[in-house]
Amino acid sequence: MDELKSIMEKFAASGWERIAAPARAWLEGRADHDALVDAIRQADQECGSCGCELDPLYKRALALLGA
């Protein structure tokens, strides 16, 4: 879970609300699992190959969430 928490902290700090808001909700213990998974999938589709540090984290977070 430490790895997932670290990923969510990076998402929350990203400044990109598509992924930051659901990540903050998860960190605060109030996340909807399906909404979080959907947000991560959408972020991966939109930005998953742009070359930023978050690109590999989308797929890793999905794997850790069992999605």
Side-chain angles (χ1 to χ4, degrees), residues 6-61:
S6 174
I7 291 170
M8 291 301 167
E9 288 170 344
K10 287 181 183 183
F11 289 167
S14 72
W16 186 25
E17 281 306 298
R18 170 170 315 287
I19 196 69
R24 279 193 303 272
W26 185 89
L27 289 165
E28 295 168 1
R30 55 181 184 80
D32 174 284
H33 181 269
D34 293 335
L36 177 61
V37 168
D38 288 345
I40 296 170
R41 283 188 177 137
Q42 185 66 35
D44 187 36
Q45 285 181 332
E46 291 181 24
C47 179
S49 60
C50 74
C52 77
E53 70 174 318
L54 299 179
D55 288 354
L57 299 181
Y58 301 128
K59 288 176 181 52
R60 184 64 184 148

